[in-house]
Amino acid sequence: MTPARPAPDFTALFSARARRMNASAIREILKVTQQPDIISFAGGLPAPELFPLEEVRRAADAALTRYGPAALQYSTTEGHPPLREWIGARAGIPAANVQIMTGSQQALDLLGKILISEGDTVLVEAPTYLGALQSFQPYGPRYVQLPTDDGGIDVDALAELLQTTPAKLLYAVPNFQNPTGRTLDAQRRRRLVELTAQYGVLVIEDDPYGQLRFSGEPAPSLYELGLEYAGDVEANHILYCSSFSKTLVPGLRDAWVQAAAPIVSKLVQAKQGADLHTPTLNQMIVTELLDEVLPRQIETVRRAYGQRAAAMLGHIGEQFPGGVQSTRPEGGMFLWVTLPEGIDSTRMLERALSRNVAYVPGSPFFALGGGENTLRLSYSSATPEQIERGIAALGETIREALD
Amino acid sequence: MTPARPAPDFTALFSARARRMNASAIREILKVTQQPDIISFAGGLPAPELFPLEEVRRAADAALTRYGPAALQYSTTEGHPPLREWIGARAGIPAANVQIMTGSQQALDLLGKILISEGDTVLVEAPTYLGALQSFQPYGPRYVQLPTDDGGIDVDALAELLQTTPAKLLYAVPNFQNPTGRTLDAQRRRRLVELTAQYGVLVIEDDPYGQLRFSGEPAPSLYELGLEYAGDVEANHILYCSSFSKTLVPGLRDAWVQAAAPIVSKLVQAKQGADLHTPTLNQMIVTELLDEVLPRQIETVRRAYGQRAAAMLGHIGEQFPGGVQSTRPEGGMFLWVTLPEGIDSTRMLERALSRNVAYVPGSPFFALGGGENTLRLSYSSATPEQIERGIAALGETIREALD
């Protein structure tokens, strides 16, 4: 080789879009917390010891036998027909209104890609799912934060906002939200659906956790309410995303969107350019698991996460000083802690790590900033013993910060 | 349900980007040609009867045993470390310069996403791979077509063009190009690498077929020449994409990019927003197959495609009327037919279908139009008998069109 020439200035060649992308704050934190002696409540990982490993092994085998080489060939962009049919039947809509996606993350990316022009107003919960912000960000949205409380989005504030602020999209995680674990109140759901319909705002309903309710009463999805309101699948303004990542396993990357035909057909065009199709075998594996394994697995996960959430809340009650508040999730994987004003959870993280416990500071979940005194805890993949020791260590850390 | 309300005007809400997306012309044609009695040279499918089905079955089993639940868990955006290491070692570069992708289509999409700002000039072969146009199109490039001949891109024309036209990117398929089957001449490769380096143009080298050479002498990749020219992996201006879709199986969607660190780290950010990571199990399956199955499989596919190409060219020589020209590919899956001027291959398709043979008209492969008298034939997944009958039927169709 000749001596090295100067490198091209790659970053100067990046698109305007690329300049809006950032390294995920959480990702950087997670790297630190992967050291073996750290008890991490930081990640958002489903419990791997609950994965139906042998069932997936048999399903892969069965799919390869059933479909032969077709299980490994290119397949349609829309998705594996029996999988779309099952999803459609469960939702009471035609399979044609179901689009398979390579994980919910792709659903968010491609919905953002086909809908968000630079400067379009996108309404998001404060706080909201960080991955959605990462998907939408390159497309140049203007975020407006919606205030939330323990019942989810404050719909009175939404009504007031819509009177003066034309918006294209509202993004929400109504069930056991990431990061807060909160659930949108049933009455508010109806009002949100009506308001957004009346103001011509499309709603992206992100529902990865809906099946993982371990207490309380299920509320209808925004999609179901939108269908009821509109009277027809083609008039429903709710775009529903869900996934098998939290109910079965995340590593196969199988998810879907339910939406009206014009949205689905534009998603098909977008997905052709993005990855042609979701891996064929993976869709067939999931399809093999739908009837027997999925319901059983949902029960297993619900029960386990319910116990872990209860354990964490119990220890929080005992170990955290007064003035610290926590949400009480009825499902999902996360709870949300609000520290007394003035404590900065980002600065506190270093002290927590020195006590071998990790969490994610809350502020990255706010599209426009805020929440410096909040943090997210995940209970999904921690053992009872880790929960006990970790919450005790976190309690000490908070007490120290209060001094 | 209440009577249906009017549907929202979804298409009016599409982003400017979405308006640039189109249904693939080929996709629409392929739908027609899937009728069972049609001999289709239209698709670009690898031969499914050659897929290492049992080996994939065993590899899935082995990966699930070796990694347990981790084979089904979320994994890193960069990709499965042993797979990145193997690819890096083969290319003589660090694993850190390898990014795993969910199919080459994702590589093209995310490279377009991070590099193409609206109005940026992208140089493409005339004709070029349609899937690349589909990936780039939403990002608003201004295409400039490079003239090509049997040795690939005309580098003298490129040199002249670069004197007056500032370009950001050049996209090329140097080996057995889709759609023409042509290979870029070795001397021209060197010149192309030097010219683009001197003018500060990044090159996306798309190389899905490079391993599938069945005659002639291999030429170094643009990436290798770029490395030689630059003297260092971090100064190489070639961004190399390849895939296991054509050498192993396409349905697992495993591909990769080799590039300098700033490109890889921006691709990581883009991929986090796009699909988080390529399915974990799929990367592990491919990794299990690298040492023994992949080399054997490449030999099998090479031999079969070589025989099929020879058979197709033989029948073309016998059956097509004078004045019809065909490329003579030395590898890959496609050849390219140029009809006498004045015959429109799009209009001729209906007559071909009435004789139960299908192809893809050439004009959609031209970013800026042209090639109305050209067409693409795929020999990869046709039997000798289908090739004989199909080429005879196509010969009759052409003769009829000439009358």
Side-chain angles (χ1 to χ4, degrees):
Chain A
M1 277 197 193
T2 48
R5 293 179 195 254
D9 186 356
F10 292 107
T11 57
L13 295 168
F14 285 154
S15 63
R17 198 178 306 112
R19 286 169 217 284
R20 293 192 205 104
M21 301 175 190
N22 289 305
S24 156
I26 287 192
R27 198 176 127 94
E28 301 310 309
I29 290 166
L30 290 181
K31 280 187 189 164
V32 180
T33 63
Q34 270 164 0
Q35 293 148 29
D37 27 333
I38 300 264
I39 296 174
S40 179
F41 304 132
L45 298 182
E49 74 278 10
L50 305 179
F51 288 173
L53 187 68
E54 292 312 315
E55 290 83 349
V56 169
R57 191 196 300 269
R58 282 197 293 274
D61 201 63
L64 288 165
T65 300
R66 189 190 300 271
Y67 293 102
L72 303 172
Q73 183 60 289
Y74 286 116
S75 56
T76 60
T77 305
E78 290 87 343
H80 185 49
L83 184 55
R84 298 173 74 206
E85 277 154 30
W86 185 91
I87 293 167
R90 206 183 56 156
I93 59 172
N97 295 95
V98 176
Q99 168 64 50
I100 304 298
M101 291 290 178
T102 310
S104 273
Q105 194 70 42
Q106 183 178 59
L108 299 177
D109 179 37
L110 298 186
L111 285 170
K113 193 170 189 174
I114 69 167
L115 289 168
I116 303 172
S117 283
E118 213 172 312
D120 278 349
T121 296
V122 176
L123 310 178
V124 294
E125 294 160 280
T128 189
Y129 172 52
L130 189 60
L133 299 179
Q134 272 189 287
S135 286
F136 300 158
Q137 192 61 21
Y139 305 123
R142 187 178 79 88
Y143 292 117
V144 173
Q145 292 193 150
L146 300 173
T148 61
D149 59 27
D150 277 345
I153 294 169
D154 177 341
V155 284
D156 290 328
L158 174 65
E160 206 171 312
L161 183 80
L162 288 174
Q163 284 176 14
T164 55
T165 307
K168 180 178 272 186
L169 275 176
L170 185 157
Y171 168 77
V173 185
N175 292 317
F176 328 126
Q177 194 222 27
N178 180 353
T180 63
R182 284 173 182 153
T183 292
L184 181 58
D185 176 85
Q187 289 313 312
R188 293 189 189 183
R189 291 182 187 223
R190 282 182 203 280
R191 181 107 185 276
L192 185 148
V193 166
E194 286 166 21
L195 279 168
T196 49
Q198 283 153 13
Y199 283 95
V201 180
L202 300 183
V203 176
I204 299 179
E205 177 180 26
D206 189 4
D207 189 27
Y209 314 108
Q211 299 288 304
L212 303 183
R213 175 180 284 279
F214 45 71
S215 65
E217 287 306 310
S221 68
L222 302 179
Y223 188 82
E224 291 169 288
L225 295 173
L227 203 53
E228 200 179 296
Y229 177 86
D232 188 275
V233 64
E234 296 304 342
N236 191 351
H237 71 296
I238 314 291
L239 319 175
Y240 178 89
C241 310
S242 191
S243 155
F244 296 101
S245 289
K246 307 305 190 298
T247 52
L248 279 172
V249 295
L252 295 174
R253 317 299 298 122
D254 281 305
W256 75 92
V257 171
Q258 298 165 199
I263 297 289
V264 169
S265 58
K266 189 53 82 176
L267 283 176
V268 170
Q269 292 173 17
K271 189 168 163 67
Q272 280 189 273
D275 70 354
L276 282 181
H277 64 84
T278 295
T280 315
L281 179 61
N282 303 35
Q283 297 183 64
M284 291 172 174
I285 290 174
V286 166
T287 305
E288 295 284 335
L289 300 173
L290 293 172
D291 290 333
E292 287 182 24
V293 178
L294 179 63
R296 205 169 63 212
Q297 189 63 20
I298 288 172
E299 268 321 299
T300 303
V301 174
R302 269 182 190 158
R303 196 171 318 120
Y305 291 4
Q307 287 164 354
R308 291 170 197 189
M312 188 173 274
L313 285 168
H315 292 297
I316 284 177
E318 291 163 18
Q319 302 286 345
F320 282 12
V324 178
Q325 293 180 325
S326 159
T327 57
R328 301 193 70 83
E330 298 190 326
M333 297 165 48
F334 303 104
L335 59 80
W336 186 249
V337 173
T338 304
L339 304 171
E341 288 288 341
I343 301 190
D344 183 318
S345 65
T346 304
R347 267 185 286 151
M348 194 179 78
L349 183 60
E350 206 169 318
R351 294 198 213 174
L353 290 172
S354 75
R355 292 183 192 270
N356 287 335
V357 62
Y359 58 82
V360 179
S363 58
F365 297 97
F366 290 80
L368 304 174
E372 286 76 8
N373 62 326
T374 59
L375 57 91
R376 188 190 75 177
L377 298 178
S378 165
Y379 47 79
S380 52
S381 55
T383 64
E385 194 264 335
Q386 286 172 328
I387 291 176
E388 182 171 0
R389 279 202 299 135
I391 293 298
L394 195 50
E396 285 167 30
T397 309
I398 298 171
R399 220 169 272 117
E400 189 187 63
L402 279 171
D403 279 348
Chain B
M1 276 195 194
T2 49
R5 293 179 195 254
D9 185 356
F10 292 108
T11 58
L13 295 169
F14 285 155
S15 63
R17 198 178 306 110
R19 287 168 216 283
R20 295 191 202 104
M21 301 176 189
N22 288 305
S24 155
I26 288 193
R27 197 176 128 94
E28 301 310 309
I29 290 165
L30 289 181
K31 279 186 188 164
V32 180
T33 64
Q34 271 164 0
Q35 293 147 30
D37 28 334
I38 300 265
I39 296 173
S40 179
F41 304 132
L45 297 182
E49 74 278 11
L50 305 179
F51 288 172
L53 187 68
E54 292 312 315
E55 289 83 348
V56 170
R57 191 195 300 269
R58 280 196 295 273
D61 201 63
L64 287 166
T65 300
R66 189 190 300 272
Y67 293 101
L72 303 172
Q73 183 59 290
Y74 286 116
S75 57
T76 61
T77 305
E78 291 86 343
H80 186 48
L83 183 57
R84 298 173 74 206
E85 277 155 29
W86 185 91
I87 293 166
R90 206 183 57 156
I93 59 172
N97 295 95
V98 176
Q99 168 63 49
I100 303 298
M101 290 290 179
T102 310
S104 273
Q105 194 70 42
Q106 184 178 59
L108 299 177
D109 178 36
L110 297 187
L111 285 170
K113 193 170 189 174
I114 69 167
L115 290 167
I116 303 172
S117 283
E118 214 173 312
D120 278 349
T121 296
V122 176
L123 310 177
V124 294
E125 294 163 281
T128 188
Y129 172 52
L130 189 59
L133 299 180
Q134 273 189 286
S135 285
F136 300 158
Q137 192 61 21
Y139 306 123
R142 187 179 79 89
Y143 291 118
V144 173
Q145 292 193 150
L146 300 172
T148 61
D149 59 25
D150 277 345
I153 293 168
D154 177 341
V155 284
D156 290 329
L158 173 65
E160 208 170 310
L161 182 80
L162 289 175
Q163 284 174 14
T164 56
T165 307
K168 180 177 271 185
L169 275 177
L170 185 156
Y171 169 76
V173 186
N175 291 317
F176 329 125
Q177 193 222 28
N178 180 356
T180 63
R182 284 172 181 152
T183 292
L184 181 58
D185 176 85
Q187 289 314 310
R188 293 189 188 183
R189 291 182 186 223
R190 280 181 203 281
R191 183 107 184 277
L192 185 147
V193 166
E194 286 166 22
L195 279 168
T196 48
Q198 283 153 14
Y199 283 94
V201 179
L202 300 183
V203 176
I204 299 179
E205 177 178 27
D206 189 6
D207 189 28
Y209 314 109
Q211 300 287 304
L212 304 183
R213 175 179 284 279
F214 46 71
S215 66
E217 287 306 311
S221 68
L222 302 178
Y223 187 83
E224 290 169 289
L225 295 172
L227 203 52
E228 200 180 297
Y229 177 87
D232 188 275
V233 64
E234 297 303 341
N236 191 352
H237 70 296
I238 314 291
L239 319 176
Y240 179 89
C241 311
S242 190
S243 156
F244 296 102
S245 289
K246 309 303 192 296
T247 52
L248 280 172
V249 295
L252 293 175
R253 318 299 299 122
D254 281 306
W256 75 92
V257 170
Q258 298 165 200
I263 297 287
V264 168
S265 57
K266 191 51 82 174
L267 283 176
V268 170
Q269 292 174 16
K271 190 167 162 68
Q272 279 188 276
D275 69 354
L276 281 181
H277 65 83
T278 294
T280 315
L281 179 62
N282 303 36
Q283 298 183 63
M284 291 173 175
I285 291 174
V286 165
T287 306
E288 295 285 335
L289 300 172
L290 292 172
D291 290 333
E292 287 182 25
V293 178
L294 179 64
R296 205 167 67 211
Q297 188 63 19
I298 288 171
E299 268 320 300
T300 303
V301 173
R302 267 183 191 156
R303 195 170 319 119
Y305 291 2
Q307 288 163 354
R308 290 169 199 192
M312 188 173 273
L313 286 167
H315 292 298
I316 284 176
E318 290 163 18
Q319 302 285 344
F320 281 12
V324 178
Q325 293 180 328
S326 159
T327 57
R328 302 194 69 81
E330 298 189 325
M333 297 165 48
F334 303 104
L335 59 79
W336 186 250
V337 173
T338 305
L339 304 170
E341 289 286 342
I343 301 191
D344 182 319
S345 66
T346 304
R347 268 184 284 151
M348 195 179 78
L349 182 60
E350 207 170 318
R351 294 197 213 175
L353 290 173
S354 74
R355 292 180 192 273
N356 287 336
V357 62
Y359 57 82
V360 179
S363 58
F365 297 97
F366 291 80
L368 304 174
E372 286 76 9
N373 62 326
T374 59
L375 57 92
R376 187 190 77 176
L377 298 179
S378 164
Y379 48 78
S380 53
S381 56
T383 65
E385 194 265 335
Q386 286 173 326
I387 291 175
E388 182 171 2
R389 280 202 298 135
I391 294 298
L394 195 50
E396 285 167 30
T397 310
I398 298 171
R399 220 170 271 115
E400 190 188 61
L402 279 171
D403 278 347

